[in-house]
Amino acid sequence: MLFKYVILVTLVVNSFTDNHLNEVEPSSTAYSEQKCHKTDLNIDGEGEEASPDVDEIGVYETYTLVCGDNFNLVSGDNVAVDIDPVYTCVPGEDAAVLSPTPSANCAKQLLQNPQVFETQVNDGADNIKYAVAIDKLSCFKKNQQAELIPGVDMSTCPNDYQTFIDVGCRTDHNDHIFVGYHSLMVLDNQASSLWGEDIISDPVEKLKLYMDCIAGDQASTVCFDVDTLPSKSDSKLFVKMYSIPVAAGDSSRKEQAMNILQGEDVHYRLRCDDGYSFKAGIEENSVYGYCTQAGTGESKGNNLFFAYTKDAADEQIHCYSKCPANPESTDTFAEGSSPVFGKLFLPSLKKDDTFTLKKEAVVCADGQTLATDAQDSYEITCHGADTTAQPNSGLLSCTDCPVCHAKCPANPESADAFVESPVFRSIVMKELIKGETFHLQPDGVTCAEGQSLAEGAPDQYTITCHEDGKLSCGDHCPICHPKCPANPENADAFVAGNTTVFKSIVMKELIKGETFHLQPDAVTCEDLYSLEVAAPDQYSITCSDDGKLSCGEQCPTCYPMCPEDPNTEKFEEGSDIVFLRLTMVALKKGETHDLPKEMVSCDDDMALAADASASYTITCGEPSGGVGILECDSCPICFGQCLANPTAEKLELAEDSGVESISISENQSLRASITVNKEHIVCKDNYAMPDDAKSTFEFRCKEEGMFSCAEGENGCPQCKGTCEWPAETEGNLGYDFRYVDEAKRAVDREEHAIPGVNHVEAFCTNETHFVILGPRFLSCISNSTMEFDTTGYDNDATPTCQTDPVCESPAATGGTLDRTGNIPVGESYVFTCGEGYMFDLDTQDTLSKGATSLEIPCVEPAGNETLVNSHLPAQICYSGCRKTVGFDGEITPAEKRSGSAPYSEGDTITFTCREGYKHADPTKGEQTCEKGNIGTGAAPVCIKDTKPTEEPGAATNCLVSTILLTVTVLALLL
């Protein structure tokens, strides 16, 4: 299809598009604060008006420049503008600006003399088909006063003026119908895309593209008085009309309707009504149409138009209700979109337009705001509405919509402001928006009287605003807890389960979680109560959640004290105690007292045991029945005493002990030991302590008042039967009897002699001239009979008194004499070492090898002053060990020569092998003298200390040699 695209006027003012609005950067000044002013329109002449006529408009609101009567709209370079320009207030970085930049103005018309130029157009058959009359030509110039311009013809206006041509049917064609545009504007007087070079010289061919006069009988082919398309009154589609300047006072041609010829040969530019627009992507000046069905003057509703664009001639174009600028209600959004706002600063949008709304352009209702994590921008799409809808009522939509949330209040005074349940009286903090976080310092929290934050409360609380205007503090909320009281006076101040007993405590007021280190001296107990000895150096008192104190496992607890000077009733049941009273101080629980035994009082005839401890450890233990109970591991026990001077029934002795009683002057305590001299042993009649009896005996007091001597070192006393003194022999050679021990001799000799061995001697009654020869000593040992010691004599031998000198037997130790009686001068005593005894080496050197006896010759007394030589040398044999024979090495220490055996019992002897040799048995290097032998008595064996390079047989050969040598030496000794 070939179309004649009718573009009557080309705008020279920079047209602004909605896309330009999308490019505006977010403003540092709030959208609501940015304004555009009427003065920004540069209105500086009469006839210029702004619509709306207000001093300022807000963001995305519009000004329209309107010219008054006899004024025409021109651009800044004096080019006529065919439509009133609309300027939108667009937000800027710091201030809003009008877009596009205002440049149009209103200019007065300069009218030439009205002239009519009539011409006709032949259809090629000499029939008059078109008749167009050029009624008048107008010139105008910006800010130029109206005036006639003489001398100007119709060919053109001056160069700096704009040309308008007003047309109509010729006067001789009054029966014709004028169709098309009533006025034309010449863009310039030179060639243009539509006008050609000279519109005045050849107007018909040019003009008939835009208007014509047709015969009246063709009225059925005309769409009459087209303004709103009649048959589509809801389409909001209009033929684009122009407000053409005319002579002063004549407004008949302003915004008049048009007659449009039916058919596709002439097309007209179309527009949408105010508040409506084509959909996005279709420019306002790019839609054309033609009359497809004509009506009549009386039936305009039959007029139908087909609207299209140059780029899509077969696609029907429609008008849609625009989406309103700066919506203030969510009702402007389609179902499925859920924005929440007070106002959105965005321009009026066409259907399918998408606008990037910056978050700064979102105004929330009072008490609401966007979340802190709100996205920087939102994609807002206009869905428009069909033409049945009111203008500017198209619906918007958004996928990620701007949502204003309730603000969270500043300085909340109730936990109702929180999602959680914090506890406080007030909080000092700023107002928050959803998602915003505030770091609350503890000093910003005020608690109710008697409450406080806990000890160790966070250094700060993270408070976040939720979408419902509620604050959230998460897991760490400011919680005011009851304070714990200062100086509590009873256990009710402590949590249940804490064992506390006290009268009062001196301590400060605590907050929850705070710990006070209580010193024991700050705890006051009731009378006769005290802290235990094991009480800690301090108590850790902590304030818990409910204002109760807590002391954990170590609480200040006052216990009943154990009383002073207790009797046995104050000790724990089952204690092994016997006493009358203890003299001691009162004790604390757990306190220990070292009680001297002198502080233990016993009943009469009772006493502590003799081996009783010097002191007793008394401890105050767990109380019972509100009374402190004493404890002791080794307790004071009073026992019955062993009475003084015990008789045989109080003595634990053998039945034949012959003891009658013991002389002990004082009572003895249990387990007391007392040393009793044998003189204090009282024997039964005809019994006496033997002469050789131990001088003392140890007795011990046992239970039930019994004395025992079984533990004594000297054993028990044994009274033996006494002997009658033998009868004295008569005459000068007579002899009598006496004790050998001069201390036992008495002036009045007792009737009976005490038992003993060789403790009685015979003596010549005339000791001056006579001396005993032969058996001298007597023993009282059995059958109460006194008998001579006849060792070395005939059994019936008796002494004789004679005048020749004699020798008394010398002292003998470790051996025996062959006789104990007196022997004459010239004879000898033979002294023999006992078994296991030996002479010292110096003595052995004087004897034959291996000798164990020696002779002691009796010699005359020195100076011949007495008949008795009682000074023969004492003889001694020693117990010990001889040197080991056969050892091939060094033996240390050396043998002792005199006054001892070579080695004494218990001596340690070291055997050292020769150089290059070692002990075959390393344990034999040191041996001890025991029971007459050094070690086993055999010499240790040394072997050669073999080196790795030596033959293994060398050591064996050495060992064999050593053994042979040892055997040889032993054989020689034997």
Side-chain angles (χ1 to χ4, degrees), residues 511-532:
I511 63 176
K512 191 260 178 179
E514 184 179 7
T515 296
F516 178 78
H517 298 297
L518 177 68
Q519 304 301 312
D521 58 8
V523 180
T524 301
C525 297
E526 298 285 355
D527 292 342
L528 301 180
Y529 280 71
S530 72
L531 297 175
E532 62 180 324

Side-chain angles (χ1 to χ4, degrees), residues 804-857:
D804 292 329
V806 296
C807 291
E808 291 182 352
S809 58
T813 303
T816 59
L817 294 171
D818 60 339
R819 47 190 167 173
T820 60
N822 295 347
I823 62 174
V825 173
E827 292 187 10
S828 296
Y829 289 104
V830 177
F831 174 68
T832 302
C833 290
E835 184 177 358
Y837 288 78
M838 67 192 73
F839 296 112
D840 61 23
L841 292 179
D842 286 347
T843 301
Q844 289 183 22
D845 288 347
T846 64
L847 302 175
S848 60
K849 199 172 192 66
T852 60
S853 299
L854 57 77
E855 291 185 354
I856 308 166

Side-chain angles (χ1 to χ4, degrees), residues 24 27 63 94 122 146 182 219 275 279 330 354 378 404 496 543 619-620 639 676 732 737 809 842-843 873 880 885 914:
V24 176
S27 173
Y63 274 128
D94 296 307
N122 294 323
H182 293 282
K279 66 181 180 179
T330 56
T354 295
Y378 305 89
C404 294
C543 185
T619 302
C620 185
F639 297 93
V676 179
N732 288 333
F737 302 93
S809 58
D842 286 347
T843 301
V885 178
R914 290 188 295 114

Side-chain angles (χ1 to χ4, degrees), residues 133-180:
I134 298 176
D135 294 335
K136 46 185 169 292
L137 181 145
S138 301
C139 297
F140 66 89
K141 184 175 182 181
K142 179 179 179 183
N143 296 332
Q144 182 68 48
Q145 294 297 320
E147 60 178 313
L148 293 176
I149 305 176
V152 177
D153 60 23
M154 284 300 295
S155 62
T156 182
C157 286
N159 289 335
D160 55 352
Y161 284 78
Q162 190 65 49
T163 303
F164 269 97
I165 300 174
D166 192 15
V167 296
C169 289
R170 285 172 41 154
T171 56
D172 58 351
H173 287 74
N174 289 334
D175 59 341
H176 281 56
I177 302 171
F178 182 85
V179 295

Side-chain angles (χ1 to χ4, degrees), residues 314-349:
D314 294 329
E315 181 181 350
Q316 182 76 43
I317 300 301
H318 302 283
C319 291
Y320 303 90
S321 180
K322 297 177 72 174
C323 293
N326 301 337
E328 298 184 8
S329 169
T330 56
D331 292 341
T332 57
F333 279 78
E335 186 176 353
S337 297
S338 302
V340 179
F341 59 89
K343 181 176 182 179
L344 302 180
F345 284 99
L346 54 81
S348 177
L349 301 179

Side-chain angles (χ1 to χ4, degrees), residues 611-669:
D611 59 353
S613 301
S615 63
Y616 297 92
T617 300
I618 309 297
T619 302
C620 185
E622 291 292 335
S624 176
V627 178
I629 301 298
L630 292 166
E631 300 173 352
C632 51
D633 290 335
S634 177
C635 301
I637 301 178
C638 295
F639 297 93
Q641 294 178 302
C642 292
L643 301 180
N645 303 318
T647 56
E649 61 269 16
K650 291 296 182 180
L651 298 173
E652 290 185 355
L653 296 173
E655 291 183 1
D656 60 350
S657 68
V659 176
E660 177 70 23
S661 65
I662 300 175
S663 296
I664 298 176
S665 60
E666 295 179 354
N667 294 348
Q668 300 297 310
S669 300

